[in-house]
Amino acid sequence: MTVKDVFVSAPGKAILHGEHAVVHGKVALAVSLNLRTYLRLKGTTTGNVCINLPNIDTFLCYDLSELKQLIPVSCGKREEGKPLDAELVRKLREFIGVTNGNLDNCNMATLSFLYIYISLFGSSELPSLTVSVWSELPTGAGLGSSAAYSVCLASALLCASGAIPAPLKESDQSARWCQEDLEQINSWAFQGEMIIHGNPSGVDNAVGTWGGMLRFLAGKIIPLSRVPLLRILLTNTKVPRSTKFPSIMTPVLDSVDAISCTCEKILSEMTCEPITGEHYNILEELIDINQHHLNVMGVGHPSLDTLCQVTLTKGLHSKLTGAGGGGCGITLLRPETDSSVVQTTVQDLKDCGFDCWETSIGGPGVQQHSPLSVKEEVLEILNRY
Amino acid sequence: MTVKDVFVSAPGKAILHGEHAVVHGKVALAVSLNLRTYLRLKGTTTGNVCINLPNIDTFLCYDLSELKQLIPVSCGKREEGKPLDAELVRKLREFIGVTNGNLDNCNMATLSFLYIYISLFGSSELPSLTVSVWSELPTGAGLGSSAAYSVCLASALLCASGAIPAPLKESDQSARWCQEDLEQINSWAFQGEMIIHGNPSGVDNAVGTWGGMLRFLAGKIIPLSRVPLLRILLTNTKVPRSTKFPSIMTPVLDSVDAISCTCEKILSEMTCEPITGEHYNILEELIDINQHHLNVMGVGHPSLDTLCQVTLTKGLHSKLTGAGGGGCGITLLRPETDSSVVQTTVQDLKDCGFDCWETSIGGPGVQQHSPLSVKEEVLEILNRY
């Protein structure tokens, strides 16, 4: 059996509002970050399963006869949303020589791949194939790179196994799956995340799957139907206070909660009425207020202050995103922000020693692509393997 | 009748925490600012009443016979805490030629002086005297300069009229009045403030009278028995967002309220336990948090951000005080802050175009002084008149 080729991509994730407050039972808004992970799956006849992860210098091939030994006795197609198959995990860890002290990105990515591959194909015939992945996302920066990888793996392998159809029609550049298929993708991506992270919240794989924006509250994840695409700069500054004084901190968390809810309302308005400058003014104001609150929570950092100041001199508003204490920040670009302003801002931030990407938030989740429609640079990298 | 000479001073006021939040029913802490207004009253035999206010270039003399015409028919010693005597105010405004369009500092200060003078002496004989005032406080900067003036006027004129005793013993450098006398001073100072401001809150004259720290909540003013003297820099940057989004702003005001209460608790601890570095750490943290909140309320200003950054490079923490949107900021100095650090910080702030004073908060309220104990530079100015 030779499986069909599949080309997919999934977005990263940024927290728009509510980081830190979410652990205190407040709303957080997670948005898709249009820095994407691309995965190409090719059916082969080599009798090997190969995985190429050039971002982390990982290039591995396994003989199908070796992998067959790992299929659990009980293996049938596993139901979604179930805990990991402990026997398969144990066998795989032994197979690739993962000990507790050896949980690097390379091992985790391999484990996650083989787990989903064997789980989906173990009950029939293991197919010969090669998976190559390239990501625009920095790893370990809290931007959901592992989830984007797991979502790509899940969608491509589910598609190759025939569990879900390939949505791409001949004339399409890219296509999305129906809601039911996305749920299956998300569920398998969550299994991959469990292998990589142990106890993931499920937010990252949900954003990678559905894209757009998700409302996250007390462990419940609610995808929001429609949100506008917002241009942003994402800056990695490359560099936390305790919540003492509950009487001072508790109301700040309430205010952050209200910021998330107000932001959600504004973004929803922007999808059903004409977008105005006032919408952007409010989004900017919410960013400023939340950045002050995050400073109050003690998760600011001088490098993030620098980010805010540098961008404000260009009339652009920034806040930290994610864990803070250094790390990444997002800067909202307005529709009318001129590309020359964007370019000088990016240069100023690079001059501060930061990495900086012009991208967008609120874009689509996992997609299948026609290889012809994928950016030249991504294709070029993936075609090397 | 020749009245005895009296030399008094009263402090200015700074808001330590709770500015803006106070108008939303939250606690504010007002502290005495040890930039003081000095008043010397000299009994004369010239048959004139003279007032010298070199800060605002005001030097006026009135003939006693003219002033006698202004005494209201009903004039007896007016009770404290009563509304202004509308007839006297009207006569005085006519006398000094104040029209509604002419309410400058000079007219207001004169009106306030003559009102208290005639009210206190009108029922007996108007004495010949000269009042000279010099203030270390900038005017119109929200630092209670008019209240310090009114408190000085009230205490000196009450003392000269014999309504309250002069507390200074021969061997003293300075002395304070008893609680009952302070209440009388405060009450007359409030009348002076009503002339100058129309509808004053009463906080400024209370701080000028009692010194230390006052808790101000929903119009009620509670002097706090004991507070430590804290060294500060006061900076005048010399340069407001509406409170929209109630769901976001209301909790911020609650947090400011909790900051004021926490600060009050810490300051009270500092007067009854050994003062530690941790006390100062908390005071600094409260300053930082409140400054972020004031930014959220939209009363920050780039010049205040500059103040915070410049002082933070020296390890010192600052916040705006009072109205914000420019205006004044205070910087807490620690007991161990070296004078060389203070001097370079002051210089750095002056280099930003700001005025800057090294002073303290929490010092005494209105005092009588032996002229020998008053700073040379103040004496020298007052002796010119």
Side-chain angles (χ1 to χ4, degrees):
Chain A
M1 148 176 149
T2 306
V3 295
K4 280 195 194 145
D5 295 357
V6 197
F7 203 125
V8 298
S9 76
K13 167 221 69 175
I15 301 292
L16 185 55
H17 288 295
E19 50 272 271
H20 295 281
V22 71
V23 299
H24 300 279
K26 307 300 180 185
V27 169
L29 298 181
V31 287
S32 66
L33 179 69
N34 213 14
L35 298 175
R36 301 179 76 89
T37 296
Y38 294 88
L39 182 150
R40 194 195 53 198
L41 181 153
K42 270 184 187 284
T44 59
T45 53
T46 58
N48 287 325
V49 166
C50 300
I51 181 152
N52 300 309
L53 308 172
N55 293 83
I56 54 171
D57 279 324
T58 298
F59 307 95
L60 297 167
C61 271
Y62 300 100
D63 196 280
L64 285 181
S65 60
E66 284 182 304
L67 294 180
K68 273 177 193 150
Q69 313 299 318
L70 304 173
I71 300 172
V73 183
S74 63
C75 192
K77 231 182 210 171
R78 288 183 61 74
E79 274 180 72
E80 318 157 22
K82 285 291 158 66
L84 289 174
D85 180 330
E87 189 199 342
L88 178 55
V89 173
R90 187 186 54 72
K91 280 186 170 179
L92 284 171
R93 291 171 73 104
E94 202 176 279
F95 174 64
I96 63 170
V98 171
T99 63
N100 281 331
N102 196 14
L103 302 170
D104 60 10
N105 286 343
C106 161
N107 282 329
M108 291 298 99
T110 308
L111 212 52
S112 177
F113 166 63
L114 291 177
Y115 181 89
I116 300 177
Y117 171 80
I118 291 177
S119 298
L120 289 177
F121 291 100
S123 61
S124 53
E125 200 189 336
L126 292 186
S128 175
L129 53 80
T130 293
V131 161
S132 302
V133 182
W134 175 252
S135 183
E136 297 167 341
L137 288 158
T139 54
L143 299 174
S145 64
S146 76
Y149 169 74
S150 295
V151 170
C152 284
L153 278 182
S155 60
L157 290 169
L158 280 166
C159 213
S161 77
I164 61 172
L168 198 73
K169 304 285 169 291
E170 213 163 287
S171 57
D172 290 343
Q173 295 211 323
S174 57
R176 306 209 64 219
W177 280 271
C178 69
Q179 200 57 27
E180 201 183 323
D181 296 339
L182 289 175
E183 270 160 28
Q184 211 176 142
I185 292 169
N186 185 50
S187 167
W188 280 101
F190 185 64
Q191 304 249 324
E193 280 283 86
M194 279 200 281
I195 299 226
I196 296 173
H197 285 300
N199 188 22
S201 70
V203 169
D204 291 11
N205 49 281
V207 172
T209 301
W210 275 282
M213 182 164 76
L214 300 177
R215 181 180 223 274
F216 183 52
L217 175 61
K220 271 197 197 139
I221 297 166
I222 302 163
L224 295 171
S225 48
R226 293 167 62 203
V227 290
L229 188 73
L230 300 174
R231 295 165 67 204
I232 62 154
L233 296 182
L234 174 81
T235 302
N236 188 353
T237 60
K238 299 185 283 182
V239 184
R241 186 185 284 156
S242 64
T243 47
K244 30 185 171 175
F245 312 129
S247 65
I248 296 172
M249 287 302 169
T250 304
V252 174
L253 297 173
D254 289 339
S255 182
V256 171
D257 194 58
I259 289 169
S260 296
C261 296
T262 307
C263 181
E264 189 182 324
K265 185 170 151 281
I266 297 299
L267 292 178
S268 146
E269 280 178 22
M270 289 169 80
T271 63
C272 57
E273 355 179 307
I275 295 178
T276 65
E278 185 57 17
H279 285 126
Y280 273 90
N281 294 346
I282 296 173
L283 291 179
E284 287 174 345
E285 193 161 0
L286 296 176
I287 285 172
D288 291 345
I289 294 175
N290 201 351
Q291 175 63 13
H292 286 301
H293 286 351
L294 288 159
N295 272 311
V296 165
M297 294 180 211
V299 297
H301 189 273
S303 62
L304 293 162
D305 296 340
T306 302
L307 168 65
C308 292
Q309 282 158 23
V310 167
T311 55
L312 197 59
T313 62
K314 313 286 184 182
L316 302 173
H317 297 250
S318 304
K319 68 178 276 289
L320 70 84
T321 181
C328 290
I330 51 173
T331 305
L332 185 65
L333 302 175
R334 298 176 70 109
E336 69 271 23
T337 306
D338 198 76
S339 71
S340 67
V341 171
V342 176
Q343 276 162 37
T344 57
T345 308
V346 168
Q347 191 53 53
D348 289 353
L349 293 170
K350 288 185 173 172
D351 291 347
C352 296
F354 304 152
D355 290 336
C356 188
W357 297 264
E358 184 183 355
T359 178
S360 58
I361 55 177
V366 62
Q367 288 183 308
Q368 188 187 7
H369 297 285
S370 147
L372 297 170
S373 74
V374 175
K375 285 185 255 190
E376 194 63 48
E377 67 224 61
V378 174
L379 266 192
E380 197 192 300
I381 293 166
L382 292 178
N383 281 338
R384 288 185 205 150
Y385 312 101
Chain B
M1 152 175 145
T2 306
V3 296
K4 278 196 199 145
D5 295 358
V6 198
F7 203 125
V8 298
S9 76
K13 168 222 68 174
I15 300 293
L16 185 54
H17 288 294
E19 50 271 272
H20 293 281
V22 71
V23 298
H24 300 281
K26 307 300 179 182
V27 169
L29 298 181
V31 288
S32 67
L33 178 69
N34 213 12
L35 297 174
R36 300 180 77 89
T37 295
Y38 294 87
L39 181 150
R40 196 194 53 197
L41 182 152
K42 272 184 186 282
T44 59
T45 53
T46 57
N48 287 326
V49 166
C50 301
I51 182 154
N52 300 310
L53 307 172
N55 294 84
I56 54 172
D57 282 322
T58 299
F59 308 94
L60 297 166
C61 271
Y62 300 100
D63 196 279
L64 285 182
S65 59
E66 286 182 302
L67 294 179
K68 273 178 194 149
Q69 315 298 320
L70 304 172
I71 300 172
V73 183
S74 63
C75 192
K77 228 180 207 169
R78 289 183 62 75
E79 273 180 77
E80 320 158 20
K82 285 287 158 69
L84 290 173
D85 180 328
E87 189 198 343
L88 179 54
V89 173
R90 188 188 51 73
K91 282 189 170 180
L92 283 171
R93 290 170 73 105
E94 202 176 282
F95 175 62
I96 63 172
V98 171
T99 63
N100 282 332
N102 197 15
L103 303 169
D104 62 9
N105 287 342
C106 162
N107 282 330
M108 291 296 100
T110 309
L111 212 51
S112 177
F113 165 64
L114 291 177
Y115 181 89
I116 299 177
Y117 170 81
I118 291 178
S119 297
L120 289 177
F121 292 99
S123 59
S124 53
E125 199 189 337
L126 292 186
S128 173
L129 53 81
T130 294
V131 160
S132 302
V133 182
W134 174 250
S135 183
E136 298 166 340
L137 288 159
T139 53
L143 299 173
S145 64
S146 77
Y149 168 74
S150 294
V151 170
C152 283
L153 278 182
S155 60
L157 290 169
L158 279 165
C159 213
S161 77
I164 60 173
L168 198 73
K169 303 286 169 291
E170 212 162 287
S171 58
D172 290 343
Q173 295 212 324
S174 58
R176 307 210 61 220
W177 281 269
C178 71
Q179 200 57 28
E180 203 184 320
D181 296 338
L182 289 175
E183 270 160 25
Q184 214 178 137
I185 293 170
N186 185 51
S187 166
W188 280 102
F190 185 66
Q191 305 249 325
E193 281 281 88
M194 279 199 283
I195 300 229
I196 297 173
H197 286 301
N199 187 23
S201 68
V203 169
D204 291 12
N205 50 280
V207 172
T209 302
W210 277 282
M213 183 164 77
L214 300 177
R215 182 181 224 275
F216 183 51
L217 174 62
K220 272 198 195 136
I221 297 166
I222 302 163
L224 294 171
S225 47
R226 295 166 60 204
V227 290
L229 188 73
L230 300 174
R231 297 165 66 206
I232 63 153
L233 297 182
L234 175 81
T235 302
N236 189 352
T237 60
K238 298 187 286 187
V239 181
R241 188 183 285 163
S242 63
T243 47
K244 30 184 171 178
F245 311 130
S247 64
I248 296 172
M249 288 302 170
T250 304
V252 174
L253 298 173
D254 288 338
S255 183
V256 171
D257 193 58
I259 289 168
S260 297
C261 296
T262 306
C263 181
E264 189 181 325
K265 184 168 153 282
I266 297 298
L267 292 178
S268 146
E269 279 179 21
M270 289 170 80
T271 63
C272 57
E273 344 178 319
I275 295 179
T276 65
E278 185 57 17
H279 285 125
Y280 274 90
N281 293 346
I282 296 173
L283 291 180
E284 287 175 345
E285 193 161 359
L286 296 176
I287 285 172
D288 290 345
I289 294 175
N290 201 351
Q291 176 62 15
H292 285 301
H293 286 350
L294 288 158
N295 271 310
V296 165
M297 293 179 213
V299 296
H301 189 272
S303 63
L304 294 163
D305 296 340
T306 302
L307 168 65
C308 292
Q309 282 158 24
V310 167
T311 55
L312 197 59
T313 63
K314 313 287 185 182
L316 303 173
H317 297 250
S318 304
K319 66 179 277 291
L320 70 84
T321 183
C328 289
I330 52 172
T331 305
L332 185 65
L333 302 175
R334 298 176 69 109
E336 70 270 23
T337 305
D338 198 75
S339 70
S340 67
V341 172
V342 176
Q343 277 162 37
T344 56
T345 307
V346 168
Q347 192 52 56
D348 289 353
L349 292 169
K350 288 185 172 171
D351 291 347
C352 296
F354 304 153
D355 289 337
C356 188
W357 298 265
E358 184 182 354
T359 180
S360 57
I361 54 177
V366 63
Q367 288 183 308
Q368 188 186 6
H369 298 284
S370 147
L372 296 170
S373 74
V374 174
K375 285 185 258 188
E376 195 63 47
E377 69 224 61
V378 175
L379 267 192
E380 197 191 300
I381 293 167
L382 293 179
N383 282 337
R384 287 184 206 149
Y385 311 102

